[in-house]
């Protein structure tokens, strides 16, 4: 057996992990924060975050573009940022946004209601819905209007109690971000590269390559002038694509990263053994429970996965307990429903479980075999199912970012093959994954595309409404399974118009979930835990269990809060 600590130590000594570039010479390492990006920048000259192939989580929505509000995962409060408040009328179909006074873009122009109205109208006018967020906004907003320089009114197509949280509060990964009207108004949003990007954040982009983006402090940052926040202590931020788990581990040991993407428990222990300054979420549990449970998504437009009985067979063949024990080293739990196991989701999880709509923990091979054989498949001499001379195959797309995905898919492939399905893994790089799965170029896909609900059920469940469906080849993030169920869609649309204290909500959740459970366009598998090694050699103030001002997922749009909380290590 390979000793992970010895192996990692040899790798560090044998490799020169250096961050090179003339732009680093002017700022010392102890004034620089280095983030590990999950992927490379496909086009380091294009910063239009509304394009389908954009990558905003390489520092753009963490340091340059600021959100209106930020959801605090500990308190559940939507904390003001560029926005001060957002209130609905009694009917929940008109929302009034009030903006913070004194906000400016990095070029000195004032940020105000004109920018908000322009951005929303740009999305409303996008006829083919090719811009990110266009479909969501067009489905919700009837009109948007400026009341005065700091006030905007949204008139919605129907009552929507989650309008603020779902769109403008970084409830999941990011939020709809406002663009400067004085720059964008004369551009074609489909082709505009927005280079250099102009934002309201405390940093400006100064250098970009495919695997390294550098941002420097804007000393004229509005947040300090208005007294909203103190000037951040880091003078420079770098997002670098470390690569695989071994590479990011080497960089953490050598103090070349301040916070990394997720690693396995064994690797985290090895890193800590060689660098005592590296910490996790807590001493007892270094991993943070990710918002997005992991699942297998089916392409419901192609045989045999257009058959719900075949999808149910896969559900019965997955041994979730084995995934937990092997892929996650026992550090997480199986999924009981599609929802993340946060306390705020307990009322909806309990309602679903009380209705008997739970998921199996262990595999039930005889029950799965009965379903498969009822569709005309028989075992051949090799023990694999076939029909009309064709094997029952399952091509499973997964990404190559981190060992969690590869370990999980290896286990699922083996479980399916052992049961007679000719399953194979099709790993693709992380950037390609977000082309392949959303465009429907898959049979099965390892994903987390049903996530989003934190304290209410509608965000996740509405992802599988048939209103999101586009033809194969066109990119969609919601309902990549292209599952078409009108009854389910009608129920989640009813849910979306109810406030969280409406007594009818839970009943609708159970009704809609029963259809989802019966049809299974996707199969929930396990809750996800991310271990994010965090280095305190140069910087302290990172979010932890004992310093829980918000969660540690540094690729999210709330990272502005993390940056403003960082302090130089003494």
């Amino acid at each position: 057996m390979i000793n992970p600590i010895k192996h990692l130590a040899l790798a560090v000594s044998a490799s020169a992990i250096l961050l090179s570039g003339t732009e680093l010479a002017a700022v010392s390492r102890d004034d620089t924060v280095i983030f590990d990006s999950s992927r490379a920048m496909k086009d380091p000259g294009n910063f239009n975050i509304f394009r389908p192939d954009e990558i905003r989580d390489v520092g753009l929505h963490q340091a340059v573009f600021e959100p209106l509000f930020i959801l605090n995962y500990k308190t559940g409060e939507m904390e003001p940022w560029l926005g001060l408040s957002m209130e609905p009328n009694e009917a929940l179909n008109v929302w009034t946004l009030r903006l913070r006074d004194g906000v400016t873009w990095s070029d000195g122009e004032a940020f105000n209601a004109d920018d908000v109205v322009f951005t929303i109208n740009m999305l409303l006018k996008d006829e083919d819905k090719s811009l990110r967020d266009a479909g969501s906004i067009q489905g919700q907003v009837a009109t948007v209007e400026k009341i005065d320089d700091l006030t905007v009114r949204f008139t919605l197509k129907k009552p929507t109690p989650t309008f603020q949280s779902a769109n403008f509060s970084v409830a999941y990964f990011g939020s709809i971000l406002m663009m400067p009207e004085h720059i964008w108004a004369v551009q074609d949003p489909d082709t505009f590269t927005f280079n250099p990007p102009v934002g309201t954040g405390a940093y400006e982009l100064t250098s970009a390559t495919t695997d390294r983006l550098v941002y420097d402090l804007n000393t004229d940052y509005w947040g300090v002038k208005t007294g909203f926040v103190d000037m951040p202590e880091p003078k420079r931020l770098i997002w670098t694509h470390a690569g695989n788990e071994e590479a990011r581990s080497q960089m953490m040991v050598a103090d070349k990263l301040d916070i990394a993407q997720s690693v396995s428990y064994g690797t985290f222990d090895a890193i800590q053994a060689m660098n005592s300054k590296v910490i996790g979420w807590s001493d007892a549990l270094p991993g943070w429970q990710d918002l997005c449970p992991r699942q297998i998504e089916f392409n419901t437009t192609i045989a045999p996965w257009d058959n719900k009985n075949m999808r149910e067979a896969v559900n019965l063949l997955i041994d979730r307990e084995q995934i937990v024990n092997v892929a996650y080293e026992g550090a997480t739990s199986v999924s009981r429903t599609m929802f993340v196991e946060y306390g705020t989701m307990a009322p909806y999880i309990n309602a679903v479980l009380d209705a008997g709509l739970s998921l199996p923990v262990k595999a039930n091979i005889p029950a799965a075999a009965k379903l498969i054989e009822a569709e005309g498949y028989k075992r051949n001499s090799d023990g694999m199912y076939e029909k009309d001379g064709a094997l029952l195959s399952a091509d499973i797309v997964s990404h190559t970012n981190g060992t969690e995905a590869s370990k999980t898919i290896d286990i699922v492939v083996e479980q399916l093959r052992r049961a007679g399905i000719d399953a194979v893994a099709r790993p693709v790089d992380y950037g390609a994954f977000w082309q392949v799965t959303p465009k429907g170029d898959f049979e099965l896909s390892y994903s987390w595309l049903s996530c989003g609900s934190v304290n209410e059920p509608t965000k996740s469940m509405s992802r599988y409404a048939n209103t999101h469906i586009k033809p194969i080849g066109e990119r969609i993030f919601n309902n990549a399974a292209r599952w078409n169920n009108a009854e389910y869609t009608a129920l989640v649309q009813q849910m979306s118009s109810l406030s969280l204290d409406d007594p009818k909500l839970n009943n609708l959740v159970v009704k809609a979930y029963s259809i989802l459970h019966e049809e299974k366009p996707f199969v929930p598998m396990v809750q996800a835990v991310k271990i994010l090694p965090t280095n305190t050699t140069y910087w302290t103030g990172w979010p932890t269990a004992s310093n829980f001002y918000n969660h540690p997922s540094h690729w999210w749009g709330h990272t502005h809060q993390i940056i403003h909380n960082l302090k130089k290590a003494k």
Side-chain angles (χ1 to χ4, degrees):
M1 180 180 294
I2 295 175
N3 182 318
I5 296 177
K6 181 179 179 181
H7 177 69
L8 190 53
L10 289 172
V12 171
S13 63
S15 303
I17 307 298
L18 299 175
L19 293 172
S20 61
T22 55
E23 72 275 5
L24 283 182
V27 178
S28 65
R29 175 66 179 92
D30 60 359
D31 283 320
T32 303
V33 181
I34 306 175
F35 293 85
D36 180 12
S37 174
S38 64
R39 45 190 163 170
M41 185 84 171
K42 182 179 179 181
D43 180 358
N46 191 333
F47 305 102
N48 180 343
I49 63 168
F50 291 101
R51 293 304 306 144
D53 56 354
E54 59 83 11
I55 300 177
R56 64 175 62 190
D57 57 347
V58 288
L60 294 174
H61 78 163
Q62 299 107 308
V64 175
F65 305 125
E66 295 178 304
L68 293 174
F69 304 90
I70 296 176
L71 176 66
N72 186 307
Y73 265 47
K74 181 179 182 180
T75 66
E77 298 293 321
M78 284 175 279
E79 299 178 352
W81 203 267
L82 296 183
L84 280 179
S85 65
M86 195 166 185
E87 301 293 338
N89 64 353
E90 187 174 349
L92 301 174
N93 67 341
V94 176
W95 287 74
T96 301
L97 167 67
R98 291 182 173 80
L99 300 172
R100 191 181 298 277
D101 194 9
V103 179
T104 57
W105 298 98
S106 59
D107 63 3
E109 289 285 329
F111 166 81
N112 56 36
D114 292 327
D115 300 302
V116 176
V117 171
F118 166 79
T119 303
I120 301 302
N121 275 327
M122 178 181 71
L123 298 176
L124 287 173
K125 294 173 183 176
D126 180 29
E127 293 183 2
D128 61 1
K129 301 179 184 178
S130 62
L131 300 179
R132 184 171 182 142
D133 300 317
S136 174
I137 284 296
Q138 289 178 29
Q140 298 173 76
V141 178
T143 61
V144 59
E145 58 184 315
K146 173 184 175 180
I147 304 305
D148 57 44
D149 282 349
L150 299 177
T151 310
V152 176
R153 178 182 295 144
F154 296 85
T155 301
L156 308 186
K157 294 181 176 179
K158 62 179 182 178
T160 308
T162 59
F163 181 64
Q164 177 188 6
S165 62
N167 295 291
F168 305 114
S169 302
V170 196
Y172 162 61
F173 177 65
S175 60
I176 297 175
L177 298 168
M178 303 305 128
M179 293 294 110
E181 181 194 26
H182 65 282
I183 295 175
W184 279 71
V186 295
Q187 302 291 341
D188 179 350
D190 283 307
T191 60
F192 185 37
T193 61
F194 201 18
N195 185 6
V198 173
T200 61
Y203 293 83
E204 297 176 279
L205 180 70
T206 56
S207 175
T209 63
T210 55
D211 59 1
R212 188 163 167 271
L213 288 89
V214 180
Y215 302 83
D216 286 333
L217 187 64
N218 176 10
T219 56
D220 200 34
Y221 175 53
W222 69 267
V224 178
K225 292 191 294 184
T226 62
F228 171 51
V229 288
D230 293 332
M231 186 69 77
E233 290 193 13
K235 294 180 181 178
R236 171 165 287 159
L237 309 175
I238 296 175
W239 268 263
T240 185
H241 180 50
N244 60 24
E245 182 168 310
E246 182 177 326
R248 68 174 62 107
S249 302
Q250 294 170 22
M251 294 179 73
M252 287 298 295
V253 170
D255 292 330
K256 301 300 183 183
L257 277 181
D258 293 300
I259 189 165
Q261 294 289 323
S262 187
V263 300
S264 65
Y265 263 70
T267 298
F268 179 77
D269 288 342
I271 293 170
Q272 273 200 321
M274 288 182 286
N275 190 336
S276 62
K277 293 292 187 178
V278 174
I279 62 173
W281 177 245
S282 71
D283 291 337
L285 186 66
W288 157 260
Q289 184 171 342
D290 189 70
L291 166 66
C292 300
R294 300 315 192 234
Q295 65 191 44
I296 293 293
E297 188 112 358
F298 297 96
N299 186 335
T300 64
T301 70
I302 59 174
W305 310 115
D306 56 348
N307 185 328
K308 69 177 182 180
N309 292 330
M310 297 299 291
R311 301 193 294 265
E312 176 63 28
V314 170
N315 174 55
L316 293 170
L317 290 175
I318 293 175
D319 187 330
R320 292 164 173 81
E321 189 172 75
Q322 185 183 23
I323 296 173
V324 167
N325 292 335
V326 178
Y328 288 90
E329 301 172 57
T332 188
S333 60
V334 302
S335 287
R336 300 183 298 165
T337 68
M338 69 182 289
F339 299 124
V340 63
E341 294 274 349
Y342 288 168
T344 48
M345 291 301 297
Y348 315 108
I349 293 172
N350 291 339
V352 168
L353 294 177
D354 289 346
L357 306 176
S358 61
L359 296 163
V361 174
K362 304 288 290 183
N364 187 339
I365 295 176
K370 187 175 180 180
L371 289 171
I372 294 171
E373 291 166 9
E375 299 301 325
Y377 290 92
K378 295 181 179 180
R379 294 255 198 173
N380 62 20
S381 58
D382 295 324
M384 308 303 287
Y385 281 111
E386 63 177 41
K387 182 169 69 172
D388 300 328
L391 287 174
L392 173 57
S393 64
D395 180 89
I396 309 176
V397 172
S398 67
H399 63 77
T400 56
N401 180 40
T403 59
E404 166 210 321
S406 59
K407 285 182 177 180
T408 299
I409 289 307
D410 286 348
I411 293 167
V412 171
V413 164
E414 178 57 30
Q415 290 173 354
L416 297 184
R417 292 191 66 84
R418 196 164 55 238
I421 298 177
D422 185 30
V424 294
R426 178 157 59 103
V428 298
D429 70 54
Y430 200 64
F433 179 83
W434 293 112
Q435 296 291 330
V436 171
T437 297
K439 287 184 176 181
D441 182 21
F442 70 97
E443 293 180 8
L444 283 70
S445 176
Y446 168 82
S447 77
W448 49 92
L449 291 177
S450 67
C451 79
S453 288
V454 178
N455 60 350
E456 53 79 32
T458 307
K459 177 68 173 179
S460 287
M461 297 186 72
S462 64
R463 287 184 177 274
Y464 286 84
N466 62 12
T467 51
H468 300 298
I469 294 175
K470 291 182 180 180
I472 296 292
E474 293 188 29
R475 201 161 179 250
I476 52 174
F477 286 94
N478 293 322
N479 201 357
R482 290 164 169 82
W483 175 58
N484 192 344
N485 189 291
E487 183 183 2
Y488 175 85
T489 300
L491 287 167
V492 295
Q493 287 175 341
Q494 290 180 57
M495 287 166 49
S496 68
S497 66
L498 300 179
S499 62
L500 298 186
D501 56 1
D502 193 307
K504 297 190 292 291
L505 180 59
N506 272 17
N507 185 46
L508 286 173
V509 168
V510 171
K511 283 184 177 181
Y513 200 99
S514 65
I515 298 171
L516 196 70
H517 185 78
E518 171 71 16
E519 294 274 336
K520 288 193 174 65
F522 65 94
V523 172
M525 294 190 297
V526 296
Q527 301 289 299
V529 168
K530 286 189 174 292
I531 301 174
L532 309 173
T534 305
N535 198 333
T536 61
T537 300
Y538 295 105
W539 299 97
T540 62
W542 302 100
T544 63
S546 60
N547 187 30
F548 192 3
Y549 55 85
N550 216 330
H551 62 93
S553 301
H554 53 89
W555 53 96
W556 284 41
H558 78 292
T559 304
H560 296 277
Q561 290 180 327
I562 297 177
I563 293 165
H564 281 276
N565 274 277
L566 293 179
K567 302 296 179 186
K568 271 193 173 185
K570 296 180 181 178

